[in-house]
Amino acid sequence: MENNSIDVNVNLSIETLQSGNLTKTKISESGKFTQMGKSIYLRFNESLENGAKASILVKVGGNGEIHIKRVAKSTNLSSLLYFTHQKHNNGQLETEYGVLPLDTFTKDSKVEIVSKPLSGKINIDYDLIYDNNVIGNYKFRLIFGV
């Protein structure tokens, strides 16, 4: 997969609304863009405290479904979430204590990719759900380009 990867710059901003508290996270990193068949993959790292990193993989399938996998070895946390426009999906959070089922409801999603020069946007507005309770509202905004 790495042989046909293209180096890109990734800018990600995430707004999180949990229990009335709004948190904003911004990530700017270099990453890799790969296309295999009708699916595209974006890989990049998130810098954490103490010089640790979390690896992030964003996959957009040919059917428009978006998968986001985040692995932070230093904190023993990994998550795998799925997003389909206007649908509920099952995902999970793996901790050192076991696996927690997390669901998402994708309120809105939009993917735009331009091939020359390579650039794109992936926007997802979603609710994160645990045990049938919404635990947060999220706005995921990813922009990438060469």
Side-chain angles (χ1 to χ4, degrees):
M1 188 184 333
E2 293 298 318
N3 296 347
N4 57 358
S5 292
I6 299 168
D7 291 333
V8 292
N9 292 315
V10 177
N11 291 296
L12 172 61
S13 72
I14 301 171
E15 282 188 15
T16 306
L17 182 61
Q18 287 181 312
S19 304
N21 296 322
L22 182 65
T23 307
K24 295 183 180 185
T25 305
K26 291 196 180 295
I27 300 169
S28 289
E29 298 280 350
S30 58
K32 298 266 187 206
F33 172 93
T34 307
Q35 182 162 1
M36 291 181 61
K38 294 184 177 187
S39 297
I40 63 149
Y41 300 82
L42 273 169
R43 295 177 187 275
F44 58 97
N45 289 322
E46 174 187 357
S47 296
L48 304 173
E49 294 179 16
N50 303 327
K53 301 241 183 231
S55 64
I56 298 174
L57 171 66
V58 178
K59 174 188 175 188
V60 180
N63 60 359
E65 184 173 89
I66 303 166
H67 306 187
I68 300 176
K69 183 174 185 174
R70 182 179 180 277
V71 178
K73 290 186 176 154
S74 63
T75 58
N76 292 320
L77 288 176
S78 73
S79 60
L80 181 56
L81 300 175
Y82 299 92
F83 306 94
T84 309
H85 187 72
Q86 292 285 302
K87 292 201 181 326
H88 285 271
N89 285 305
N90 299 49
Q92 64 186 35
L93 173 68
E94 288 184 42
T95 72
E96 58 190 294
Y97 305 108
V99 178
L100 291 171
L102 289 177
D103 298 327
T104 58
F105 175 70
T106 309
K107 298 186 226 175
D108 193 24
S109 63
K110 188 172 186 181
V111 176
E112 296 175 7
I113 297 177
V114 176
S115 54
K116 293 188 181 179
L118 177 63
S119 65
K121 288 187 221 173
I122 301 170
N123 294 345
I124 311 168
D125 294 350
Y126 67 98
D127 291 335
L128 192 61
I129 302 161
Y130 175 71
D131 198 24
N132 294 319
N133 294 305
V134 174
I135 57 173
N137 310 110
Y138 292 78
K139 291 184 185 303
F140 177 99
R141 302 289 182 264
L142 188 146
I143 299 171
F144 69 90
V146 290

